[in-house]
Amino acid sequence: RRRRARPPHSALPARPHPLPPATLTTMSDAGSEGEDDTQFTLANPDVVTKYKIAADVVNKALELVLAACKPGAKVVDLCALGDATIMEECGKYYNKKDKDGNKIEKGIAFPCCASVNNQVCHNSPPADDATVLEEGQTVKIDLGAHVDGFVATVAHTVVLMGDMNAPVTGPQADVMQAVITAGEAAIRKLRPGSTNIEVGAAIAKVAEEFGVNMVEGVLSHSMKRFVIDGNKIVLANGGGGATAELKAEEDTVELNEVYALDIVFSTGEGKPKCVDERETAVYKRAIEKSYKLKMQASRAVFSEITKKFPTMPFTMRAMGDIRGARLGLVECMKHELLHEYPVLYEKAGDCVAHFKATVLVMPNGNDRITTWSSQPISTDKALADEELKALIAQPLKSKKKKDKKDKDETPEERAARKAKKEAKEEAKAKADEKPQPRGPPVGRPAPVLKGAAGKQAKAAAKAGYMDGMDLPSSEESGEETEEIVREDKNFEFGGKTDKEDRKARAKELEAARKEALAKEQAMREDDDAFTVRCANQTDDHREAMANSKDIKIDGFSVSARGKELLVNTDLTVVHGRRYGLVGPNGMGKTTIMKLLARRKLPVPDFIDILLVEQEVVGDERTALESVVAADVELQQLRKKRMELETAMERIAAAEEKGGDNVLEEREAALASALAACKIDEDAESGNGMRGKLAVEAERKAAGELDEDNFDINDEITKVYERLNEKGDATAEARASKILHGLGFTVPRKDGNSGPERFSMHNSTHSFSGGWRMRISLAQALFMTPDLLLLDEPTNHLDVHALTWLEEFLQRWEKTVVIVSHDRGFLNDTTTATMFLHHKKLRYYGGNYDMFVKVRSEHRANEASTAANIAQREGHIKKFIQTFGQGHQKMVKQAQCRMKMLAKLQEEKTDVDYDDPYLRLNFPSATPLPPPCISVMNAAFGYEGYETLYEGLDFGLDMDSRVAIVGPNGAGKSTFLKLLEGDILPTKGWVNRHIKLRLARFSQHHLETMNMEMDCVAHMKTLDAEMPLETARAYLGKFGLSGELATKAIKFLSGGQKSRLAFAELAWRQPHIMLLDEPTNHLDLETIEALAMALNKFEGGVVLVSHDERLISLVVDEIWQVKKGDMTCVPPEPGSVDVFNGSFEEYKTMLKKEFEGGSLLTSKKKNERREKEEQAAKEKEDARKQAALNKKYGAPPAPATPKPAFTGKITLDKPAFGGGGAGGSGVVFRPAAAYVPPMREVTAPVGMVALGGGGG
């Protein structure tokens, strides 16, 4: 990659500027490597001016960024401030075109990076990053700018302190002073004729003197026009200390060269590593590479990079579409079209300091054009080497010698020169005669001096080895003057001390931090945090929606706290369809549901909407009463009916009693009835289901009732009719069936509580959160709104309840929108699919499997169309390039082709590619011989309760793939605890291999985590000696990288907490994994990734889950946990049996147990019911026969066996009329049986059809 024979780029580890120098074809031939022309070197004064203007820009940007480095500031805000300042300052220069009519390019040469603590470099986070600075942290700022391709870069290190004027101490001071001293030595060593090896050796010697280490692979490059990393390099490892693969080729420093002197020191080993490649946000185009990209997204991204950043590094924040850019960068990186600048880390606790300066090698000495004001440093360490002391004491620039040509000047020129010199001396004398500033008053500190005098004062006070150093000035030229800045402070006697002030300030900062966290938490639940923009609806659209229960919203956008979730998309919900709303987590599915339920979107007011999103509040009401009470309108109607009936009874009683008070009593009763028909202004609007206009219309109608037009008979008739429509008589029965289907038991004891733990007659406060969520779901199903919104309804359901819910929703006649991670549930319940992708809603017919199939076909068609269009574009562009210029005969055809090309580009459609999905990995342990777990004649039951199961006899090994299914309360989670050893069997044995490692994912794994810890700290609790890089690497494999790795666990979503638990499982490297409902809170893509990871896992898996997709992909056999029946004689304990069949067959078996909308939980009950029905039928047949015998007499018992049927039919009555629906107009008997004397009719068998309802 270089012109000279040097080690390849892969031999050099990652470094602050890890870009291989290349033979660069820049934007100007004059700026290419090896150009001898002095037009673009420091020999040209215009070039020097442009370098210094670029330096002024970066100095200004660095000054503002350092001023903004305060505790509480966001890292991304610092980076954005640096980039914005560079662009703003560059806009002040060279705004006119040059002599050739070209616009001078200027802007960012290296994006602003802010690396914190043990981060070495290149930390330029995305816009949504929330990392903030804290007091005591070390921050390294790195940025660069260019004017017409001439680059100036700078890097500086600062420590955040409560008092920034206080000196830095400890290891931070040592490494900062070391890197500054090394920079001063290197600048002075960088002389014409010296070699890069000598410069590197000086840097290494300073590091050795201060007891710190150089960060490996840090390179200082020569720079030319549009070349930020030239061929000449200074390796910070020096000469003797460099290894074979890191040793740089010797080069000589020459006059008029420019260097970016880059030095990084660390108190650690100096061997940085890239922890997570996804943190990389800085890239640079590889000019020397070319490749024809396949994906349109990649081509679009690379085209944007070529246009905006042809030669300089750039950050991802500068891209237009960051999400699309990340997708396109994958292919660009794969084919080495870009170089990356990874974020590097030293070990946790190491202090890292960064120094970078742009140095011009000029004839009169080196000119450091980028500079800063250093923070006060107090350290005990100093240079002991006399040679280095002498080197640093040398001035940067040598005194300008008198030009010999001055001897040949003319008298006129000599007189002008003398006059100019005298004028200078006179101005200087006047300046010296100015009165000196008086000293500070008593009790006030001395003024702080800035500029050269201030630096000299500090140097004199320090009186160290740096005496006499020619420190750089922030001014370009001219005389340096003193700037006196007085610190105005108000002193109060008896006030707080400095220590108390610092404590008070720390308390204020902590209070502000907690307040910000509280606001952030509140914003998550704040409906007003969402901004909704909708297109204006036409009158025709409103009229069409007024009489339809369909929902049609065109062109709406949704954003949350500045983040766009939906952009100019359409929402269409057809009444009667069952929709599945799918898409990756965090894209806005739940937001759409909430906006519909809160009516933030324009939904017709007469459409009832209900969202199931939270569990019911526990109280003394039973589960059954809570479900019935959820229908607010039904409760209001019942109350109104009671009050109206009471009023009518009062009127009837008064009229029957008579007397003088009849009229008065009648008026009082009618007044109470009229008050009951009024609607309270503060009454709830049907549990929030109905719109404001509908409620206001109802209130208006009720408000029109008065004593003149009120008719109690009409009102109670209306109430009866509405109650009949609401199904008042069957309300409790319907609620009971729904609760029974969701797993609640029916039996009831005296009082309000049932004999079973999950009885629907138990009070709601006695249930756990999962069962309260079932009650909330039952309320929604009971109320039957026009639009039912279900957000993850399967999270707290077992297979039995889930199967019942599928059957129930298949009969749902109204509209339902379901967000679920269960692919099988979506397949069985939905008839259409809404897909949220790239901030748009797309619609597909059919269930989820049909959606996947159709979308894959659409994607294939789009890809084929895009390939054809790209091929045609290539042919047309080639024709235009060949005949567009210089061929007069073909000009018209070329113009025609240009129009065709424009039309093709308008017809272009982007291929709907999937986002890269998460890849999980569970490392396997060393194999163990079977059995790993052996269970022999084991039984278990909690003390004081019935035995859950007994007679357990089985074995598990590393090849076992088992799914545990059964109803809630049967003991599935207990079964896993028994395998793990958390509980001991009450009978029998459970033996485990002595080297067996088990890892269990629990339904309640979140309860065992410290919510105040971040993910990295949680991983380190597993192993106190776990390196930070290892912890972050494990977290990155499970989608917890960047900000998520350092975020407190309490702020993670449910799915992210589950991923953290998966990372913990992976760290343990188990032989067998016990997974208890691992799919809760995971999206469909993550479940697919989990299934693939479990299939690759070379160990045993015991899985408790209701997810049909995961079970079908992972397990080999199904074990069914059956509940026992201890009420039988003898008692029947539960058991764990192998189910011979697939999971689909198991669900089919459960569906056969449905009857009347209820799910029977025991086969014994089913058999008992069948026996009772058979006995009742035999009893009824015996009763009918007894009635016949009583009417006609009992037939004599036949002495001989009954003869065969002869084909004769004897009629009991001469008429063929039936006895009605319940009668038996015709009785069929064999001809030989006893009958009264009646006429006989003989007919062929099977050819007589006689009437009669019962017969």
Side-chain angles (χ1 to χ4, degrees), residues 918-926 958 961 997 999-1001 1019 1034 1037-1038 1058-1075 1078-1079 1082 1086-1101 1103 1110 1114:
L918 182 68
R919 295 182 182 273
L920 305 181
N921 179 37
F922 296 110
S924 305
T926 55
M958 294 183 66
R961 297 295 174 103
R997 285 196 302 271
R1000 181 162 67 98
F1001 180 98
M1019 291 298 295
Y1034 262 90
K1037 293 177 182 178
F1038 293 87
S1058 296
R1059 294 181 188 179
L1060 178 58
F1062 290 149
E1064 182 178 340
L1065 261 64
W1067 173 257
R1068 298 185 187 278
Q1069 294 187 356
H1071 297 94
I1072 297 178
M1073 286 198 292
L1074 310 177
L1075 305 178
T1079 60
L1082 300 183
T1086 307
I1087 293 175
E1088 293 288 331
L1090 176 62
M1092 288 190 290
L1094 291 177
N1095 283 332
K1096 293 179 181 179
F1097 174 62
E1098 297 178 358
V1101 176
L1103 174 66
L1110 183 65
V1114 174

Side-chain angles (χ1 to χ4, degrees), residues 569-584:
T569 189
D570 302 333
L571 176 65
T572 303
V573 179
V574 180
H575 181 67
R577 292 186 181 177
R578 301 189 299 272
Y579 290 91
L581 179 55
V582 299

Side-chain angles (χ1 to χ4, degrees), residues 171-226:
Q172 292 171 319
D174 297 340
V175 72
M176 288 176 63
Q177 187 63 61
V179 79
I180 293 175
T181 306
E184 297 293 340
I187 292 174
R188 287 161 174 77
K189 200 69 175 178
L190 203 67
R191 297 286 193 183
S194 62
T195 64
N196 56 343
I197 302 298
E198 295 172 354
V199 178
I203 298 173
K205 202 168 186 180
V206 173
E208 182 181 355
E209 290 276 338
F210 278 85
V212 296
N213 289 316
M214 297 165 292
V215 174
E216 286 187 354
V218 178
L219 301 182
S220 300
H221 288 276
S222 62
M223 296 192 298
K224 292 190 177 183
R225 191 179 184 222
F226 291 111

Side-chain angles (χ1 to χ4, degrees), residues 1077-1151:
E1077 297 291 357
T1079 60
N1080 285 357
H1081 307 293
L1082 300 183
D1083 55 18
L1084 290 163
E1085 292 77 11
T1086 307
I1087 293 175
E1088 293 288 331
L1090 176 62
M1092 288 190 290
L1094 291 177
N1095 283 332
K1096 293 179 181 179
F1097 174 62
E1098 297 178 358
V1101 176
V1102 181
L1103 174 66
V1104 174
S1105 177
H1106 60 263
D1107 192 286
E1108 180 180 355
R1109 176 74 174 173
L1110 183 65
I1111 292 176
S1112 61
L1113 290 176
V1114 174
V1115 304
D1116 298 330
E1117 54 183 338
I1118 297 175
W1119 293 1
Q1120 182 182 5
V1121 180
K1122 297 180 180 179
K1123 273 187 176 182
D1125 191 353
M1126 306 306 289
T1127 60
C1128 298
V1129 181
E1132 296 181 1
S1135 62
V1136 180
D1137 302 325
V1138 176
F1139 179 77
N1140 296 319
S1142 64
F1143 187 75
E1144 182 64 30
E1145 292 172 340
Y1146 177 74
K1147 290 180 64 177
T1148 303
M1149 181 195 73
L1150 294 179
K1151 292 176 183 178

Side-chain angles (χ1 to χ4, degrees), residues 640-648 650-651 665-679 701-719:
K640 186 185 294 187
R641 178 188 63 185
M642 184 183 299
E643 293 181 355
L644 291 176
E645 288 177 347
T646 302
M648 293 186 73
R650 287 176 59 186
I651 293 172
E665 183 68 19
R666 176 183 175 85
E667 293 296 332
L670 289 177
S672 64
L674 178 60
C677 293
K678 296 287 186 180
I679 297 179
E704 294 175 354
L705 292 175
D706 53 26
E707 296 178 356
D708 298 331
N709 59 12
F710 178 68
D711 188 342
I712 189 172
N713 293 319
D714 289 345
E715 290 300 322
I716 199 169
T717 301
K718 292 178 182 178
V719 170

Side-chain angles (χ1 to χ4, degrees), residues 23-297:
T23 302
L24 182 65
T25 304
T26 64
M27 303 177 66
S28 172
D29 292 337
S32 62
E33 290 283 346
E35 182 65 63
D36 294 328
D37 192 0
T38 60
Q39 180 182 358
F40 299 106
T41 67
L42 297 182
N44 186 349
D46 292 339
V47 173
V48 178
T49 302
K50 291 176 181 178
Y51 270 119
K52 291 191 174 183
I53 290 176
D56 287 344
V57 171
V58 297
N59 290 336
K60 178 69 173 179
L62 179 64
E63 180 183 357
L64 294 180
V65 174
L66 291 177
C69 284
K70 298 178 180 179
K74 283 188 175 182
V75 175
V76 66
D77 293 343
L78 298 179
C79 299
L81 174 63
D83 293 342
T85 305
I86 290 175
M87 296 305 298
E88 180 182 356
E89 293 296 318
C90 285
K92 299 177 181 179
Y93 305 97
Y94 294 101
N95 293 319
K96 295 182 180 180
K97 295 182 179 180
D98 60 10
K99 59 183 180 181
D100 298 327
N102 299 321
K103 189 176 180 180
I104 293 180
E105 295 185 24
K106 54 187 184 294
I108 298 172
F110 194 84
C112 183
C113 299
S115 306
V116 183
N117 285 346
N118 61 321
Q119 285 180 338
V120 177
C121 54
H122 305 155
N123 183 39
S124 182
D128 57 353
D129 184 79
T131 305
V132 297
L133 300 179
E134 299 177 1
E135 187 172 343
Q137 290 183 333
T138 305
V139 185
K140 297 164 283 295
I141 306 299
D142 185 7
L143 50 86
H146 78 95
V147 174
D148 198 17
F150 300 104
V151 180
T153 59
V154 67
H156 183 47
T157 305
V158 64
V159 177
L160 302 185
M161 304 177 66
D163 182 7
M164 295 301 291
N165 293 324
V168 181
T169 59
Q172 292 171 319
D174 297 340
V175 72
M176 288 176 63
Q177 187 63 61
V179 79
I180 293 175
T181 306
E184 297 293 340
I187 292 174
R188 287 161 174 77
K189 200 69 175 178
L190 203 67
R191 297 286 193 183
S194 62
T195 64
N196 56 343
I197 302 298
E198 295 172 354
V199 178
I203 298 173
K205 202 168 186 180
V206 173
E208 182 181 355
E209 290 276 338
F210 278 85
V212 296
N213 289 316
M214 297 165 292
V215 174
E216 286 187 354
V218 178
L219 301 182
S220 300
H221 288 276
S222 62
M223 296 192 298
K224 292 190 177 183
R225 191 179 184 222
F226 291 111
V227 181
I228 196 173
D229 46 358
N231 282 347
K232 291 186 177 182
I233 64 172
V234 176
L235 189 62
N237 296 73
T243 60
E245 61 271 15
L246 295 179
K247 190 172 182 180
E249 182 179 335
E250 182 174 346
D251 279 313
T252 303
V253 180
E254 297 176 359
L255 191 64
N256 294 332
E257 287 185 336
V258 183
Y259 283 85
L261 199 58
D262 200 353
I263 305 172
V264 183
F265 283 173
S266 170
T267 58
E269 297 178 358
K271 298 178 180 180
K273 296 180 181 179
C274 176
V275 177
D276 189 356
E277 293 181 354
R278 285 174 290 186
E279 290 184 351
T280 302
V282 182
Y283 299 85
K284 179 177 178 290
R285 181 188 170 196
I287 306 294
E288 71 278 10
K289 289 285 185 178
S290 63
Y291 182 83
K292 187 175 182 181
L293 298 169
K294 301 295 187 297
M295 294 173 55
Q296 183 176 348

